[in-house]
Amino acid sequence: MNPGTYAGKFVAKKSGTRSKPIFLCGDAQAIIDGGGVKKGYGFHLNGANYWRLVGFTVRNCQKGVIGDTTNGSIIQGLTVHDVGDEAIHLRKFSTGNIVQYNKIYNTGLRREKFGEGIYLGTAESNWGSITGGKPDKSDNNVVRGNVIRATAEAIDIKEGTTGGKILNNVFDGSKIGGSKHNDSWVDVKGNNYLLEGNKGTKTPVDGFQTHEILDGWGKGNVFRNNTITLAGGSGVGINDVRGGNTIDCDNKVTDGKLTKKGACS
């Protein structure tokens, strides 16, 4: 993509292969502009596998980049800002993807409470419309090295998803709001995730939270070597609400306690 503004909402349906992925590349001055934050997706991977979205900007749409049933794709180095709801969302059985080194800010311009930075999976309440009533097994996705300032969670990990990695991201919680439920950088409702090396500053309540929305979910997650600066947050660094997760002692917290019990696992 050459520098310039590309007006519209774009959809990819053709797949590459593991050995020959499809590349769409540009620098930050190559801008996809969706024409308004009230509806539409800036770029939609719709059943398209093995794509490489690299380097360009997505703005001025309801949702930034959406992956529906995309596998083996990489979303890298994008700037996603001024969107109505969430910036990047993998859902509808999207597995084995990587979301890395993106810059995300000014989400939630339509509704703050839906302004997640990166969203993995689908809430159980929407399985009927998105996944035919089945758990959204958007599994084994890696979210790495992103810089996120969002109006809802920087990363929201939904029930039904398993085995992802959340690594070395940077969170700024200074704009989180819009709902009493938006009160942490990361909300983990899936199972068996590794959350390691992340850094966050400013939060309304907690740094990280786990929740058991459905029986057996929000379990088996490991928190390791995260650096947490609560900076006025009224909660704790990692709030393991129902238990069943591992909080290593190398997590570091400033301006508060690591857990409600004040101890690591």
Side-chain angles (χ1 to χ4, degrees):
M1 299 170 66
N2 292 322
T5 300
Y6 298 79
K9 303 172 181 70
F10 297 86
V11 182
K13 294 184 178 181
K14 183 177 180 179
S15 292
T17 66
R18 187 183 301 274
S19 61
K20 292 184 178 180
I22 298 172
F23 283 82
L24 180 63
C25 305
D27 65 18
Q29 300 307 310
I31 302 167
I32 290 177
D33 189 303
V37 301
K38 292 186 178 180
K39 62 181 181 179
Y41 309 157
F43 198 93
H44 187 192
L45 292 171
N46 189 7
N49 301 318
Y50 298 108
W51 274 71
R52 305 290 184 263
L53 306 180
V54 182
F56 54 89
T57 293
V58 179
R59 72 181 187 193
N60 201 24
C61 40
Q62 182 184 345
K63 303 175 188 290
V65 178
I66 301 294
D68 282 326
T69 322
T70 186
N71 303 286
S73 293
I74 298 176
I75 302 169
Q76 175 176 314
L78 304 188
T79 301
V80 185
H81 69 96
D82 289 275
V83 294
D85 295 338
E86 70 270 26
I88 298 174
H89 191 165
L90 299 177
R91 65 184 186 185
K92 202 173 182 182
F93 313 110
S94 292
T95 62
N97 303 289
I98 300 173
V99 181
Q100 63 183 4
Y101 313 127
N102 302 287
K103 183 178 181 181
I104 294 169
Y105 62 95
N106 287 1
T107 63
L109 299 184
R110 186 182 73 99
R111 295 189 71 179
E112 281 184 307
K113 70 177 183 177
F114 297 141
E116 294 88 353
I118 298 172
Y119 194 126
L120 302 178
T122 303
E124 183 270 339
S125 58
N126 291 322
W127 288 352
S129 59
I130 300 296
T131 60
K134 299 177 181 179
D136 186 352
K137 296 182 67 175
S138 291
D139 296 340
N140 301 315
N141 294 301
V142 175
V143 178
R144 174 171 55 205
N146 302 281
V147 178
I148 305 171
R149 187 182 73 227
T151 59
E153 294 88 354
I155 302 175
D156 195 358
I157 301 168
K158 289 302 186 185
E159 57 275 15
T161 70
T162 302
K165 295 180 179 180
I166 311 298
L167 308 172
N168 303 317
N169 300 282
V170 177
F171 310 129
D172 175 354
S174 61
K175 298 297 183 181
I176 294 175
S179 168
K180 66 180 181 180
H181 301 295
N182 295 339
D183 54 4
S184 64
W185 305 312
V186 181
D187 196 345
V188 187
K189 308 178 191 77
N191 286 355
N192 302 326
Y193 278 77
L194 171 64
L195 300 97
E196 181 174 16
N198 302 285
K199 296 181 179 180
T201 59
K202 300 180 182 178
T203 176
V205 182
D206 302 313
F208 299 80
Q209 294 178 347
T210 69
H211 288 98
E212 187 179 8
I213 300 300
L214 294 175
D215 289 346
W217 288 101
K219 306 290 185 181
N221 301 292
V222 176
F223 296 84
R224 181 185 300 159
N225 197 29
N226 299 288
T227 301
I228 302 163
T229 303
L230 294 174
S234 59
V236 296
I238 303 171
N239 188 355
D240 189 11
V241 175
R242 294 289 182 88
N245 298 286
T246 299
I247 301 171
D248 285 358
C249 295
D250 58 6
N251 293 286
K252 302 175 180 65
V253 179
T254 303
D255 299 331
K257 294 181 179 181
L258 177 58
T259 69
K260 285 194 171 183
K261 296 180 179 179
C264 45
S265 300

